[in-house]
Amino acid sequence: MHTRVGSHPTNHMRLLGDGEGDGWLNLVASPVETQLGGRNYISDRDKQLRSLQGALRVLSGEGVQLVSLPGFSKPKNKYENFELLDEGGARRGSPELYKVPRSSEAHFVLPCDFFRYGWIHVLDDSEITFLMMLTFLHADLQFDGEEFESDHYVSVSSSERLLHFGMSRDAYEAHWTLRRFGLIDMKPGKGRFPDGRVRGFDPYRNAPLHRFRLLAHGFGRPALGVVHSTLSAIRAEGAH
């Protein structure tokens, strides 16, 4: 958030914080509990640290190449000062360091509230993928800072969804919960019901597409409370 455009962010924060400040462990939500049974005692903090180190190993793997571990060959502190690599992922040759993109470079923007209010921790993979797909499709629109909410709606065909985003039909249904969470709005395609069914379906014609819009203000609420209350309401509806 604070690195200048065109620059590579420098990581000086340790995995474990000290008395003077937070560490990366304070920024990662991991559902672990202290292990008291058996012969070994493992604290929840130790489990979180192992989980974080495991994630960094995966991200630094040859098939991923999203993180560099400059100290991995050392006997200690193998994961400290990790660096972000270019989001293009695995490629031949030496990977490039990540740099904050300039306005003239291809990029898309997620609202900071997506992280600030914990949505990154409570949404599942398909819901996050759907949000990023919509954000990408909105990328040609001009946003001012975090105020990127737009009246424009976007749509995606099944072929584009599969070929460009690798999103299955089941994952596409994530729009249903995202709408209930108040993160997106949808206009059903002409002659279509919200659940996707088509009135007078013709297998030889393309069905009208649903159109979607991101609701930036929806991210400005504590995610855990919103998701908990929404899912409770959905369960109550199903019971009637």
Side-chain angles (χ1 to χ4, degrees), residues 119 123 131 178 181-185 213-215 218-219 221:
W119 293 99
L123 298 179
L131 283 176
L178 292 173
F181 296 154
L183 300 179
I184 67 173
D185 186 30
R213 177 169 69 100
L214 287 163
L215 301 176
F219 294 92
R221 302 163 296 152

Side-chain angles (χ1 to χ4, degrees), residues 129-149:
T129 301
F130 193 96
L131 283 176
M132 296 185 76
M133 178 181 71
L134 285 193
T135 310
F136 175 83
L137 294 172
H138 277 87
D140 60 339
L141 305 176
Q142 296 298 313
F143 303 123
D144 181 15
E146 294 184 36
E147 300 298 327
F148 71 88
E149 189 154 336

Side-chain angles (χ1 to χ4, degrees), residues 14-143:
R14 297 184 64 83
L15 298 190
L16 285 172
D18 51 31
E20 298 181 357
D22 289 332
W24 282 104
L25 214 59
N26 298 91
L27 304 177
V28 178
S30 181
V32 298
E33 296 180 358
T34 299
Q35 179 177 319
L36 298 176
R39 302 176 60 181
N40 299 319
Y41 168 80
I42 305 176
S43 70
D44 57 349
R45 196 163 180 80
D46 289 336
K47 286 187 175 182
Q48 287 176 325
L49 181 60
R50 292 181 184 181
S51 178
L52 178 56
Q53 292 171 339
L56 289 172
R57 282 198 303 273
V58 172
L59 292 172
S60 65
E62 290 187 6
V64 182
Q65 294 185 16
L66 291 176
V67 165
S68 171
L69 301 175
F72 194 72
S73 60
K74 299 178 181 179
K76 295 183 178 180
N77 300 323
K78 296 176 178 289
Y79 302 93
E80 299 294 343
N81 306 119
F82 65 87
E83 295 184 298
L84 298 180
L85 298 178
D86 182 83
E87 292 170 306
R91 68 192 71 187
R92 294 182 179 178
S94 300
E96 299 180 11
L97 293 174
Y98 170 80
K99 293 182 180 179
V100 178
R102 303 180 186 276
S103 58
S104 58
E105 296 177 290
H107 69 283
F108 62 94
V109 179
L110 283 171
C112 289
D113 286 346
F114 175 72
F115 303 95
R116 183 182 292 131
Y117 287 97
W119 293 99
I120 183 67
H121 299 304
V122 300
L123 298 179
D124 66 24
D125 290 348
S126 61
E127 291 164 342
I128 292 175
T129 301
F130 193 96
L131 283 176
M132 296 185 76
M133 178 181 71
L134 285 193
T135 310
F136 175 83
L137 294 172
H138 277 87
D140 60 339
L141 305 176
Q142 296 298 313
F143 303 123

Side-chain angles (χ1 to χ4, degrees), residues 144-208:
D144 181 15
E146 294 184 36
E147 300 298 327
F148 71 88
E149 189 154 336
S150 168
D151 292 332
H152 293 272
Y153 285 75
V154 295
S155 59
V156 58
S157 65
S158 58
S159 58
E160 185 180 10
R161 166 172 53 79
L162 288 169
L163 294 175
H164 293 285
F165 302 103
M167 181 180 291
S168 67
R169 182 175 181 179
D170 288 341
Y172 181 75
E173 294 302 313
H175 69 76
W176 191 82
T177 50
L178 292 173
R179 284 158 43 212
R180 294 294 297 259
F181 296 154
L183 300 179
I184 67 173
D185 186 30
M186 184 188 83
K187 290 184 177 180
K190 186 176 181 181
R192 296 189 69 165
F193 299 98
D195 64 1
R197 292 180 296 121
V198 181
R199 185 182 293 110
F201 175 70
D202 184 347
Y204 299 102
R205 299 182 62 182
N206 292 326

